[in-house]
Amino acid sequence: MRERLIAAFVGLTILSITVFGVVLAYRVADQIRAQETRKVERSVALLAVIVEDRERADLPITPGFLDDLLNVGEHIEYIDAEGVRVEAQADDHADGTHDRDDLVARQRTADGGTVTLSRTAEVINGRVSDALTPVVVLGVVLVGFAVAAGWLAARSLSRPFRDLAEAATEVGKGRFDVEIPHHPVPEAEAIGQALRQSAADLSLAARREREFNAHASHELRTPITAMRLELEDLILWPETTPEVAEQLTRSLAQLGRLSETVTRLLEGTRDHRPDRVTIDVAALARDTVDRWRSRARRRTFVVDGAAPVGVQLPHGPIGRILDALLENAVEHGSGTISVTVTDQQKYVEVQVADEGAREFGDEVLRRRVHDGSSNGRAVGVAGAAELAESLGGHLRIQDVPATTISLLLPAPSRDRLGA
């Protein structure tokens, strides 16, 4: 788009300058030729007077005398009343012939002679060139200015669309909360509005999908785990006969296959989402902390974990989980807030800790306790826990005096976290 705008801008400028230059060249050439014609006519009239005065003084008209009266590119011819011819020409007018473009003027003298003065077309063309040279230079300058102005205009006009393209790329990666700027260009603003609506719709659909995955995971895996524990207990009972134990073992294997099927179905739903990409959790944590550092200037933030730590998960949900944990620490914690990212090989751990005393346990990870208890510490944490579950990870409250919440995410080498 930018190249086409620049080409159109420069092309229009060159066309305008060319048309203007051609018209101006013809007008300048006509004006200079008219001026030179008048000069030649005045010069030949003056030559006739000089020749008459010399004849009255009985002085001869010689080529040397006429040479002194020559200008550049001129030829003088004098024919007296008796037909005697005397000529003189400038060095650049070596012969006495006249081109049809030369300027020629004749003047008769009082005694019946004739004075002829001619000026070559090269002199006229040179003066036309001298007159048009500033115009050509101005045209080149205008073309350069048109290139610069076209580049600036194209950059200004294409910037909204570049911003929208970058925003669309971020939305495609799962960052539905990306800020889409407003632009004064109506077309760009219409595209931006459509992109905002699409991002909102996709965010709603992704949230519903995560909630469904979290709910389905809980509703399906919990009874399967309970049945597994009961079957294992029955197998270990002394009263269980070997035949019954064998049957229970086969049932336990079938239950294991059922559990694997449920896991594959839930994980397959996540794996085929378009926003699942490889991201650097350490870099994402630093970026998130930088945003919160500008919001909460009175708090001190420390980030531990400079080495890249990659996971194959959506960018947006992980960012929202970190935002929820940092907001919880800023709003309800105290002291320095530290974020630590470590690669535990089988999983990736992100710890968000502050120096406030821990006054709650794992119960804050369940929504039913959000009734204002725990001094508001659990605000947003339960939602972050459900979001982590939908990604195949989970939140864990560390059993330490200071408030420390860990986000555990599956490493790239595994599809999900183990128990």
Side-chain angles (χ1 to χ4, degrees):
M1 177 180 180
R2 184 187 304 179
E3 291 77 9
R4 290 194 294 271
L5 287 173
I6 295 176
F9 205 92
V10 175
L12 181 61
T13 303
I14 293 177
L15 178 62
S16 302
I17 293 176
T18 301
V19 173
F20 172 76
V22 170
V23 174
L24 181 63
Y26 277 107
R27 293 192 61 181
V28 168
D30 291 341
Q31 290 178 357
I32 291 178
R33 190 173 185 86
Q35 292 174 358
E36 293 298 321
T37 300
R38 289 193 295 269
K39 288 181 180 179
V40 169
E41 292 174 350
R42 290 194 296 267
S43 296
V44 76
L46 180 60
L47 285 174
V49 172
I50 294 174
V51 169
E52 291 174 356
D53 291 342
R54 192 171 180 85
E55 287 181 342
R56 281 194 294 268
D58 293 328
L59 296 175
I61 306 299
T62 64
F65 168 72
L66 294 179
D67 283 339
D68 295 336
L69 303 177
L70 287 171
N71 291 317
V72 177
E74 290 183 344
H75 174 269
I76 300 176
E77 180 186 68
Y78 172 65
I79 302 176
D80 60 15
E82 298 177 356
V84 178
R85 182 191 303 269
V86 180
E87 294 181 285
Q89 57 271 337
D91 294 338
D92 52 356
H93 200 309
D95 55 16
T97 61
H98 302 300
D99 189 79
R100 64 177 183 176
D101 293 329
D102 291 348
L103 295 179
V104 180
R106 292 180 176 85
Q107 181 71 34
R108 296 186 66 84
T109 60
D111 61 353
T114 303
V115 178
T116 303
L117 175 65
S118 66
R119 184 170 295 173
T120 61
E122 287 76 9
V123 174
I124 302 172
N125 295 335
R127 293 182 179 177
V128 172
S129 299
D130 293 341
L132 291 179
T133 297
V135 178
V136 174
V137 174
L138 179 61
V140 173
V141 172
L142 288 177
V143 170
F145 176 77
V147 172
W151 184 82
L152 293 174
R155 181 180 181 183
S156 176
L157 291 175
S158 63
R159 180 177 180 180
F161 298 98
R162 294 198 307 270
D163 294 343
L164 291 173
E166 294 176 359
T169 301
E170 294 299 320
V171 171
K173 292 180 180 180
R175 294 193 59 186
F176 304 129
D177 58 343
V178 64
E179 183 179 355
I180 301 174
H182 294 272
H183 296 284
V185 181
E187 293 80 3
E189 182 61 23
I191 297 173
Q193 184 60 35
L195 190 57
R196 292 184 200 95
Q197 185 61 45
S198 299
D201 295 340
L202 290 173
S203 178
L204 179 61
R207 182 173 62 83
R208 289 176 177 174
E209 179 185 348
R210 289 191 298 268
E211 291 176 351
F212 170 78
N213 285 337
H215 181 71
S217 176
H218 175 75
E219 295 296 329
L220 293 175
R221 288 174 176 170
T222 299
I224 291 175
T225 302
M227 292 175 63
R228 178 189 294 275
L229 294 176
E230 291 181 2
L231 291 177
E232 290 175 349
D233 288 342
L234 288 175
I235 292 173
L236 296 177
W237 278 8
E239 295 83 356
T240 303
T241 62
E243 294 79 7
V244 175
E246 183 179 357
Q247 182 61 40
L248 292 175
T249 301
R250 287 196 294 270
S251 300
L252 191 61
Q254 294 293 334
L255 190 62
R257 283 195 288 272
L258 175 60
S259 178
E260 292 176 358
T261 301
V262 170
T263 299
R264 284 197 301 270
L265 289 175
L266 293 176
E267 292 298 324
T269 302
R270 289 194 294 268
D271 290 341
H272 288 87
R273 289 190 315 193
D275 57 349
R276 189 180 182 91
V277 293
T278 300
I279 62 172
D280 182 4
V281 181
L284 178 59
R286 290 193 297 270
D287 293 342
T288 306
V289 168
D290 288 340
R291 271 193 290 109
W292 278 98
R293 184 178 284 117
S294 62
R295 295 181 187 178
R297 299 183 182 276
R298 297 183 179 181
R299 302 296 296 274
T300 301
F301 292 83
V302 177
V303 181
D304 184 10
V309 180
V311 295
Q312 293 180 346
L313 292 170
H315 181 284
I318 298 178
R320 286 192 288 273
I321 294 172
L322 295 178
D323 278 332
L325 298 182
L326 287 172
E327 181 180 9
N328 185 69
V330 170
E331 297 293 333
H332 310 291
S334 61
T336 299
I337 299 173
S338 60
V339 178
T340 305
V341 181
T342 55
D343 187 355
Q344 303 292 355
Q345 299 301 321
K346 294 183 178 181
Y347 60 90
V348 174
E349 182 177 9
V350 183
Q351 283 191 356
V352 179
D354 61 76
E355 297 177 346
R358 181 174 63 85
E359 300 175 352
F360 53 86
D362 290 339
E363 70 278 357
V364 298
L365 303 179
R366 297 183 291 274
R367 283 189 181 273
R368 63 173 178 269
V369 301
H370 276 219
D371 55 1
S373 59
S374 302
N375 297 323
R377 266 286 196 171
V379 175
V381 176
E386 292 182 357
L387 192 55
E389 289 287 344
S390 70
L391 297 175
H394 65 271
L395 291 185
R396 183 167 62 193
I397 308 300
Q398 297 293 343
D399 188 15
V400 293
T403 302
T404 305
I405 303 178
S406 293
L407 168 62
L408 306 181
L409 297 171
S413 59
R414 296 187 54 175
D415 293 330
R416 66 182 189 88
L417 283 177

